[in-house]
Amino acid sequence: MTFEEYVASRGPALVRLARLLTGDEHRAEDLTQEVLSRAYVHWRRIARADRPDVYVRRMLVNANNSWWRRRSNRELAIDTVVDRPQRGDLSGEVADRDEMWRLIRDLPDRQRAVLVLRYYEDLDDATIAQILDCSPVTVRTHAMRAFANLRERCDAPATNGSRP
């Protein structure tokens, strides 16, 4: 597969993954462009790998983590919700989903990455472990801690060992 074919087939999914990791559409596009430009330089080596998509996703996750480490990137996005919609209003579901995404964006990077890769990219624990360079047990631990964190902040009851 050529680089152009890869970007044509997987580009939109990579932008979606970046948007879910960053919580910002514009930064996601910049991050994806940066990662693809670095991947282009090494595409022959990446394409020879068993699963080039795992490699590029890993680059995307690592680039997102590195962005936050840079001293020049200390901006804080602040979302304010003025009014809560009335019950029965369709916008209530949208507001709830938006509120949940704000909570997910506040999770630590690894926990957020695990949730995004598992539930939006529909990847199994072994593939997520490859992308994040950790063991599948660590992936499950990050997911468990992320859900515990979200439950605590949403005042939701804890479940006893069942996977959400």
Side-chain angles (χ1 to χ4, degrees):
M1 173 183 292
T2 67
F3 180 76
E4 291 78 14
E5 292 169 341
Y6 176 79
V7 172
S9 67
R10 296 296 301 152
L14 292 172
V15 172
R16 182 184 68 227
L17 172 60
R19 191 179 69 234
L20 294 170
L21 290 172
T22 64
D24 182 297
E25 182 177 347
H26 301 291
R27 196 162 58 94
E29 291 171 356
D30 291 344
L31 189 67
T32 305
Q33 184 176 4
E34 177 185 327
V35 165
L36 289 175
S37 67
R38 285 192 280 137
Y40 177 76
V41 175
H42 303 288
W43 185 249
R44 285 188 186 151
R45 182 174 48 88
I46 293 170
R48 283 192 303 256
D50 290 337
R51 299 171 71 183
D53 199 41
V54 169
Y55 189 90
V56 174
R57 285 178 177 163
R58 182 183 208 172
M59 289 176 69
L60 199 56
V61 170
N62 289 342
N64 180 55
N65 293 341
S66 295
W67 187 87
W68 282 107
R69 290 185 193 124
R70 294 183 201 145
R71 287 182 181 252
S72 63
N73 297 321
R74 298 293 182 216
E75 65 185 45
L76 295 174
I78 298 174
D79 293 308
T80 56
V81 178
V82 178
D83 295 325
R84 296 290 296 163
Q86 298 294 322
R87 278 196 145 174
D89 187 0
L90 182 61
S91 63
E93 291 179 31
V94 174
D96 290 341
R97 189 175 308 128
D98 186 52
E99 182 179 351
M100 181 56 69
W101 269 112
R102 273 189 250 115
L103 293 172
I104 290 171
R105 279 195 317 240
D106 291 341
L107 289 171
D109 291 340
R110 300 284 266 187
Q111 292 177 12
R112 182 175 60 249
V114 165
L115 293 185
V116 167
L117 291 169
R118 181 184 279 179
Y119 294 103
Y120 286 89
E121 293 294 314
D122 198 28
L123 299 176
D124 59 39
D125 290 346
T127 305
I128 296 169
Q130 280 184 310
I131 292 170
L132 298 178
D133 194 26
C134 63
S135 71
V137 172
T138 303
V139 169
R140 290 188 290 273
T141 300
H142 284 308
M144 179 191 67
R145 289 179 180 164
F147 285 122
N149 187 332
L150 292 172
R151 281 187 199 103
E152 180 181 307
R153 291 168 45 209
C154 290
D155 297 325
T159 59
N160 293 331
S162 63
R163 184 175 171 173

